[in-house]
């Protein structure tokens, strides 16, 4: 690896935003392969994710990492020549959304980010998602895992309703459902009929690793 | 309905006994039994079959349902059902930071806060130079339609001698006049709500129930994160605009304290409710907590305590790693209410510092059985209540969906078990 490539990874992983963006811009301006620049970003995000798992990094770092990634992505993506190598293979599909009645999205966004940088193909369908929208998206996206998020206590019932509808429509076979957010614990998991709950974004990644075999 | 609606003498004695019980707990003395507080959003209204729209618009119906619940549960204190803003006031202000029934949410959904950027990143300088000017010209018109037009007011420090006369006509600007008229109407509605609040408090006093909170305030970090920059904005500012953010938090600590002390003067209850959203273990590192969150918040706490007020800091989610840091306040002067924090660890670290309150899980109250609630409360009373300094409550009060038999089990437990 070239010295500057390592510098880019370090700057991103160490949250030195100005340096990271300047380096990426220099590399892209002089004609470095944009796919390679994005690969370096992915490596840096891998470090960020691991530090988050080890509780060395928290939300400020995840949000800033996401911003840096987005800025570099916006510079690099238009430069990518079609069929230049393609995206890395994704591990499996995860559908994420905040259940109906609840407008909170911080937890959901962090779960989406962590699953994404850990190699999953994540579709985030937003907040206050009606049951029908979950059903439609499951039919269309065919996820291996559905993640229901909710912060308010009213979300317990919305989650239960969503899980029941998924089951009733015959969509649960071969798919796992996890819940998380706010006050969700094992009692809520049992109440809603979900397969598992996670108390943070790292738990969401761990559950997906258990449920989706890496070799698939 | 229970026997609490009894003779005035008995009610007055019950009132005094309840106040003493809570005050003993705050002062870290052992009360005759562990006190229990009734704090909820709309549980009483939901139990009476009322939807959220009616609960937010029909003051009298809301008060009636709360009275029934207080008489039934017999708490030592209660948080008023009359929030500072209910439907009619929100309508009058044209409030943009919340969604509520009929305004973004259905009749059967709770009001919710909209996490957005209400102050832009490049506006710190303006805020820091002149917060009042920033409020009038930028912030207020962004958060309520009634304030739209105030941006046409003259700059306040410009109102002196000849300059003042030169800009006086701005007070006759049609947009300013319309804003002031809309605010007058909002003010009248707010006064009507305030009168109901006062009347309800008086009535409950006569029935023997003191209030558990007077005015509320925020920690400086929450104030800035929730109300100004939004969650994403403030998290990025911790890296991109650290000095400006720290200066703004420092400034906010001063005026939050001043305003809270001034408002509390007119309120009979001297307990100040401070819901805390951003302190939790999983949101920022301990080093960041010690840099951004705690120092300005500690200033607010000390300022309130110095003014003879009792801060009731509600540490949402899990704040177990923060316990040693937040122990740095005067002894026996504050309540720390915990949601998911390890209560036994809290007792160990804070037992000699602050009165601990909490924390029957929402999941247990909503989905569990009364026996589980009873066993959990017993554990709290015997272990966290040992030696005094404990108030029983739900982890986040009584959730609106809590099962009545579970709530009853929680309130009955303080009379069944001894600390």
């Amino acid at each position: 690896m070239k010295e500057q490539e390592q510098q880019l990874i370090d700057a991103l992983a160490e949250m030195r935003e100005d340096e990271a963006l300047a380096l990426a811009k220099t590399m892209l301006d002089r004609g470095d392969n944009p796919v390679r620049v994005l690969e370096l970003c992915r490596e840096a995000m891998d470090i960020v994710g691991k530090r988050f798992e080890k509780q060395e990094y928290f939300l400020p770092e995840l949000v800033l990492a996401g911003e840096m990634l987005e800025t570099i992505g916006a510079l690099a993506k238009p430069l990518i020549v079609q069929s230049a190598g393609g995206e890395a293979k994704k591990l499996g599909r995860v559908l994420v959304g905040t259940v109906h009645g609840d407008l909170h999205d911080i937890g959901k966004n962090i779960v989406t980010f962590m699953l994404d940088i850990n190699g999953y193909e994540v579709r985030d369908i937003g907040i206050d998602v009606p049951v029908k929208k979950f059903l439609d998206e499951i039919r269309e996206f065919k996820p291996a895992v559905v993640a229901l998020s909710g912060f308010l206590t009213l979300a317990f019932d919305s989650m239960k309703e969503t899980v029941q509808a998924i089951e009733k429509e015959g969509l649960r076979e071969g798919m796992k459902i996890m819940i998380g957010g706010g006050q969700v614990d094992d009692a809520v998991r049992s109440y809603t009929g979900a397969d598992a709950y996670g108390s943070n974004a790292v738990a969401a990644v761990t559950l997906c690793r258990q449920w989706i075999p890496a070799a698939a | 309905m229970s026997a609490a609606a009894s003779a005035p003498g008995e009610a007055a004695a019950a009132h005094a006994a309840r106040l003493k019980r809570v005050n003993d707990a705050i002062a870290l003395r052992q009360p005759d039994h562990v006190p229990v507080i009734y704090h909820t959003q709309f549980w009483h209204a939901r139990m009476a079959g009322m939807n959220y729209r009616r609960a937010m618009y029909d003051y009298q119906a809301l008060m009636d349902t709360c009275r029934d619940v207080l008489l039934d549960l017999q708490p030592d204190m209660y948080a008023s059902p009359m929030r500072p803003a209910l439907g009619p006031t929100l309508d009058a202000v044209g409030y943009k930071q919340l969604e509520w029934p009929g305004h973004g949410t259905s009749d059967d959904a709770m009001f919710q806060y909209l996490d957005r950027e209400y102050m832009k990143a490049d506006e710190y300088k303006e805020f820091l130079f002149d917060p009042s000017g920033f409020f009038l010209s930028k912030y207020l018109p962004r958060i309520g339609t009634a304030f739209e037009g105030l941006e046409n007011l003259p700059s306040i420090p410009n109102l002196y001698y000849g300059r003042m006369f030169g800009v006086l006509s701005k007070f006759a600007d049609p947009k300013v006049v319309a804003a002031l008229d809309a605010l007058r109407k909002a003010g009248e509605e707010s006064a009507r709500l305030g009168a109901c609040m006062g009347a309800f408090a008086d009535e409950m006093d006569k029935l023997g129930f003191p209030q558990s909170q007077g005015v509320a305030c925020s920690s400086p970090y929450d104030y800035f994160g929730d109300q100004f920059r939004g969650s994403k904005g403030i998290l990025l500012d911790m890296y991109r605009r650290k000095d400006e953010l720290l200066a703004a938090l420092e400034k906010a600590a001063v005026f939050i304290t001043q305003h809270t002390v001034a408002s509390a003067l007119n309120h009979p209850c001297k307990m100040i409710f401070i819901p805390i959203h951003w302190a939790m273990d999983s949101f920022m590192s301990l080093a960041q907590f010690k840099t951004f969150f705690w120092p300005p918040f500690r200033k607010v706490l000390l300022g309130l305590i110095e003014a003879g007020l009792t801060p009731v800091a509600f540490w949402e989610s899990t704040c177990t790693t923060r316990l040693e840091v937040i122990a740095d306040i005067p002894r026996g002067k504050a309540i720390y209410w915990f949601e998911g924090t390890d209560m036994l660890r809290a007792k160990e670290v804070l037992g000699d510092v602050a009165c601990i309150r909490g924390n029957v899980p929402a999941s247990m109250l909503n989905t569990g059985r009364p026996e589980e609630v009873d066993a959990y409360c017993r554990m709290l009373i015997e272990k966290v209540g040992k030696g005094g300094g404990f108030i029983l409550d739900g982890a986040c009060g009584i959730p609106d969906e809590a099962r009545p038999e579970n709530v009853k089990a929680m309130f009955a437990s303080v009379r069944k078990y001894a600390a």
Side-chain angles (χ1 to χ4, degrees):
Chain A
M1 186 182 291
K2 290 181 209 156
E3 196 183 327
Q4 211 167 29
E5 291 187 341
Q6 187 58 51
Q7 277 174 1
L8 176 60
I9 294 173
D10 291 346
L12 285 164
E14 298 296 331
M15 302 293 133
R16 297 196 300 267
E17 185 182 21
D18 293 344
E19 184 187 332
L21 298 186
L23 273 167
K25 198 165 179 314
T26 306
M27 291 162 87
L28 292 169
D29 284 350
R30 72 172 178 226
D32 283 13
N33 184 351
V35 175
R36 175 69 185 149
V37 172
L38 291 180
E39 269 171 23
L40 298 171
C41 289
R42 242 191 316 270
E43 276 186 51
M45 291 306 125
D46 197 39
I47 297 171
V48 172
K50 288 205 167 68
R51 288 183 184 171
F52 183 74
E53 287 184 34
K54 284 196 275 182
Q55 296 183 7
E56 292 166 10
Y57 276 176
F58 291 83
L59 297 200
E61 290 76 22
L62 287 201
V63 171
L64 183 60
E67 285 281 298
M68 292 191 284
L69 191 61
E70 205 178 308
T71 308
I72 298 175
L75 294 173
K77 280 177 186 161
L79 304 173
I80 296 173
V81 182
Q82 285 304 313
S83 75
E87 289 262 314
K89 206 175 255 171
K90 293 285 184 181
L91 296 173
R93 288 178 170 182
V94 186
L95 183 71
V96 182
T98 302
V99 292
H100 69 88
D102 200 322
L103 308 178
H104 290 85
D105 66 356
I106 298 175
K108 170 186 70 60
N109 294 347
I110 297 301
V111 166
T112 300
F113 181 81
M114 284 298 288
L115 288 172
D116 182 49
I117 64 172
N118 277 281
Y120 296 94
E121 186 181 348
V122 190
R123 183 180 283 186
D124 178 349
I125 55 173
I127 55 173
D128 192 14
V129 178
V131 172
K132 187 178 177 303
K133 170 113 172 130
F134 269 109
L135 300 176
D136 292 346
E137 292 282 349
I138 290 168
R139 286 194 183 95
E140 207 261 315
F141 184 57
K142 299 189 174 32
V145 176
V146 173
L148 306 179
S149 174
F151 176 76
L152 302 172
T153 50
L154 63 80
F156 302 171
D157 286 318
S158 304
M159 285 173 175
K160 186 177 189 168
E161 240 179 272
T162 310
V163 172
Q164 282 175 345
I166 292 171
E167 202 152 312
K168 193 164 160 254
E169 293 294 310
L171 297 168
R172 188 150 182 188
E173 191 79 14
M175 192 187 76
K176 295 284 190 184
I177 302 175
M178 62 182 176
I179 58 172
Q183 332 203 24
V184 168
D185 58 13
D186 199 52
V188 180
R189 184 210 56 76
S190 155
Y191 178 73
T192 58
D195 293 299
Y197 83 97
S199 52
N200 54 48
V202 176
V205 175
T206 307
L207 286 169
C208 285
R209 280 188 190 137
Q210 285 166 13
W211 287 338
I212 304 173
Chain B
M1 212 170 276
S2 85
S6 51
E10 275 178 52
H15 190 283
R18 286 175 175 133
L19 213 50
K20 180 174 182 331
R21 199 169 288 132
V22 174
N23 285 336
D24 280 348
I26 296 168
L28 310 178
R29 292 188 295 264
Q30 179 97 53
D32 56 348
H33 67 66
V34 162
V36 58
I37 291 179
Y38 178 68
H39 183 115
T40 185
Q41 298 284 6
F42 292 106
W43 186 73
H44 37 269
R46 302 296 285 166
M47 284 307 105
M50 212 181 276
N51 67 17
Y52 281 105
R53 183 192 271 262
R54 183 155 180 232
M56 287 193 70
Y57 281 87
D58 188 339
Y59 297 166
Q60 191 57 51
L62 186 62
M63 291 189 287
D64 288 345
T65 58
C66 186
R67 181 196 310 104
D68 289 348
V69 162
L70 296 183
L71 290 171
D72 186 31
L73 295 177
Q74 296 282 306
D76 290 296
M77 284 186 169
Y78 73 98
S80 178
M82 308 305 283
R83 309 176 56 82
L86 285 165
T89 334
L90 296 171
D91 285 339
V93 169
Y95 195 55
K96 303 175 196 173
Q97 290 182 302
L98 284 184
E99 286 194 348
W100 68 98
H103 293 79
T105 66
S106 73
D107 289 359
D108 265 316
M110 214 354 215
F111 66 84
Q112 289 184 60
Y113 190 75
L114 298 173
D115 173 26
R116 289 183 185 155
E117 192 181 69
Y118 298 97
M119 177 187 126
K120 294 172 195 150
D122 60 7
E123 289 174 336
Y124 269 102
K125 279 191 182 60
E126 224 175 311
F127 174 87
L128 286 167
F129 177 68
D130 173 15
S132 300
F134 177 74
F135 264 78
L136 287 172
S137 64
K138 300 273 175 68
Y139 182 73
L140 291 173
R142 284 176 193 164
I143 65 157
T145 54
F147 295 107
E148 289 171 5
L150 291 189
E151 64 273 23
N152 287 12
L153 276 173
S155 165
I156 302 301
N158 200 17
L159 299 176
Y160 67 97
Y161 200 50
R163 297 282 317 155
M164 186 263 285
F165 290 104
V167 296
L168 207 51
S169 63
K170 287 186 178 252
F171 287 98
D173 178 296
K175 283 188 177 166
V176 171
V177 172
L180 294 176
D181 192 48
L183 289 169
R184 178 183 57 76
K185 287 178 187 145
E188 284 166 1
E189 185 53 45
S190 175
R192 188 170 80 86
L193 174 63
C196 288
M197 254 180 186
F200 187 75
D202 289 346
E203 188 193 347
M204 291 310 106
D205 268 343
K206 289 193 183 85
L207 289 173
F209 300 106
Q211 288 187 83
S212 63
Q213 60 194 58
V215 299
C217 74
S218 300
S219 78
Y221 189 95
D222 288 317
Y223 167 84
F224 232 74
D226 292 345
Q227 315 298 329
F228 288 81
R229 295 288 296 122
S231 56
K232 187 175 168 186
I234 198 165
L235 291 170
L236 290 173
D237 293 344
M238 289 166 73
Y239 274 97
R240 290 177 176 169
R241 297 175 179 273
K242 183 180 174 184
D243 293 342
E244 285 178 315
L245 174 59
L246 287 172
L249 296 174
E250 180 84 21
K251 193 152 192 149
V254 177
F255 57 72
I256 288 172
T257 308
Q258 285 174 352
H259 297 160
T260 310
V261 170
S263 313
L265 277 178
N266 302 319
H267 203 289
C269 178
K270 303 301 177 193
M271 290 157 78
I272 309 300
F273 181 53
I274 315 172
I276 296 168
H277 306 137
W278 282 97
M280 59 186 80
D281 293 341
S282 59
F283 272 17
M284 60 175 89
S285 70
L286 189 57
Q288 287 163 337
F289 178 77
K290 286 181 186 172
T291 304
F292 292 96
F293 197 97
W294 180 243
F297 184 42
R298 181 170 179 271
K299 250 182 212 173
V300 173
L301 291 176
L302 297 187
L304 300 181
I305 290 169
E306 201 176 312
L309 303 169
T310 304
V312 181
F314 175 33
W315 299 90
E316 288 187 16
S317 190
T318 301
C319 298
T320 308
T321 66
R322 319 305 198 203
L323 293 174
E324 278 81 3
V325 180
I326 66 175
D328 186 19
I329 55 165
R331 184 181 187 279
K333 299 289 181 194
I335 296 174
Y336 279 170
W337 177 3
F338 293 114
E339 182 184 349
T341 296
D342 180 336
M343 292 294 266
L344 300 182
R345 178 98 184 93
K347 179 73 175 176
E348 209 178 292
V349 179
L350 297 167
D352 280 334
V353 178
C355 173
I356 297 167
R357 174 171 163 186
N359 82 338
V360 185
S363 62
M364 191 181 280
L365 288 169
N366 288 18
T367 72
R369 288 172 292 114
E371 308 83 78
E372 292 171 67
V373 174
D374 182 77
Y376 191 83
C377 292
R378 180 178 186 173
M379 182 280 291
L380 287 175
I381 291 166
E382 291 177 351
K383 295 191 171 159
V384 187
K386 197 174 177 188
F390 173 61
I391 295 170
L392 182 70
D393 202 334
C396 52
I398 305 301
D400 293 350
E401 310 80 9
R403 291 176 175 164
E405 61 273 24
N406 290 344
V407 177
K408 281 181 199 249
M410 179 182 130
F411 281 80
S413 70
V414 294
R415 291 168 189 91
K416 278 170 76 177
Y417 303 113

